[in-house]
Amino acid sequence: MHTFTSLAPDPSGAIDALAALGLTFGPRRRVVRMLLDTFDGRLRAHGYRLEVRQCEGSDELLLCGSDGSLEHLATAVVPRMANDIPSGPMGDRVRDIAAERALLPLMRMESMWRTGSVTEAGGPSELLALHDDVHIAGSAPFPAPRWLIELQRQDGHGDLAGEVGTDLERCGMLRVRGDSLTVLARAAGISLDGFDGSPTIALDKRLGAAAGFRAVLSHLADGIVATWEGARDDVDAEFLHDLRVGLRRTRSVLAQAEKVLPASVIDDARHRIGDLAAITGPARDLDAYVAEWESYIEPLAATARRALSPVREELERQRRAAHADLATGLRSPQAMTLIASWRTWLSADGGPWTGAESWSDKRLGTVVERRISRAQATLIERARRIDDSGGDEAVHDVRKAAKNVRYLLECFGGVLHDKPRHRLVRRLKAFQDNLGEHQDAVVHLAWLNEVRPIFAAASTLRAIDQLSADLDARRRAARAEFAERFAAFDSPATRRALRSALHGVH
């Protein structure tokens, strides 16, 4: 798909030139086009553009591929989630890509719209769309083209599209990259790429440690702010997950900032950010339970699944209540002041960042190498102490130690060697998956035991007992697999990957 723009005050010259090729234009109609994508830009990353097009009372959903493919679907509402799109080629494709993320309106374009078509043996075929009187809703004034033409790819019409494009260029129009929505977004300064939540940023190992920690913490703070409103408003479950991980990463980095940043700052920030992280816990645990519910009840008989419907309703009720509490907490003056003051401190120049502590001016690479090595040693030591008698809390402590190592590898990845770091993270993730399965079963089993007294129906109580037994079996299976997973991680291959990732960093 190609777009052409011009500084000419009106498109009449181009229309006359195109008429010579046999194109005729339909009447001008007001059209509204809304571009949808996930917060992290998943559709765009996969080469797709999802658009809601409203014209004269007719609403249509369009999915355009980078290969020129175009799918149409009549719609009565703007889809909020991929599941809102009916099953079929378009809905299935969007669900595969967007998964659990909400479809957010990135931009809204209004224009007068005329379609140009050419009549051949097969009948008239739309070839291009001409936009004029273009507006981007909610955007500040910007130097947008007064009109533009979007040229569609037409199969079965020889080189007609190429001829039209050539003729437009002869008329003085400029061919630009992308479709009309992309062109206008670029002109308006609207990013369509989506938020990149990666904690890894470019770092120089020769940088002073305090400055390096500051850069990492500032980047994490930006991510926390970016996901704050989505978590507060419960847009989709991933916003809260990302916010919670951002807070945990921040605490992990602060825990490794000993002798790099002022002790008073570290202690205060860890405490206050810990309090903030604590209010995200209940809602996130219930989000995870809702996400796993169908897989939990799938092995049960149909009668047991039906009997668990009141439990599912209670789970949803508690999830909504937990999100309401979270929203209140995130809207509170204390929370808003905390994140604002933290970002202010992170942006301060000089002062506490230089010379405040004995390691503040040491090379960042030296500090990172020591702290990651120490965190890995702590993880190995704790995991090796786990035996068959080790309780759930001991396993959870290992899980927290594993997260700490992974957060450091990700947050300070800019000074590490990429390939061995990625190998190490993959090996760590395989171990973490086992620890996560165990902890989910523990938490979700505890919730079932907690809510069991609420219900009186014998069928529901029997179904709860069956589900509890299944969850406990999952917990025991994960626990039995712990030794095997840890042995695979506590191996020469892992030690080689760690040495290679840290080689020469100090």
Side-chain angles (χ1 to χ4, degrees), residues 118-135:
V118 62
T119 302
E120 290 191 342
S125 175
E126 181 180 320
L127 181 65
L128 54 81
L130 187 149
H131 298 274
D132 64 279
D133 190 23
V134 176
H135 300 280

Side-chain angles (χ1 to χ4, degrees), residues 299-349:
L300 303 179
T303 52
R305 293 199 296 270
R306 286 194 296 271
L308 285 169
S309 294
V311 182
R312 179 69 164 81
E313 292 170 4
E314 175 63 16
L315 175 60
E316 280 287 1
R317 187 196 68 77
Q318 289 195 17
R319 195 199 77 85
R320 290 192 297 270
H323 272 275
D325 290 342
L326 173 64
T328 299
L330 293 181
R331 288 191 179 98
S332 69
Q334 296 89 336
M336 300 297 289
T337 300
L338 163 62
I339 198 64
S341 62
W342 177 233
R343 296 188 84 193
T344 297
W345 191 81
L346 288 170
S347 66
D349 294 323

Side-chain angles (χ1 to χ4, degrees), residues 454-470:
I454 296 175
F455 305 99
S459 59
T460 298
L461 293 174
R462 285 195 299 271
I464 289 174
D465 290 341
Q466 293 175 35
L467 180 55
S468 296
D470 278 6

Side-chain angles (χ1 to χ4, degrees), residues 66 113 232 286 312 320 331 356 370 451 493 498:
S66 56
W113 162 291
R232 182 195 66 198
L286 292 167
R312 179 69 164 81
R320 290 192 297 270
R331 288 191 179 98
R370 294 185 184 183
V451 300
L498 179 62

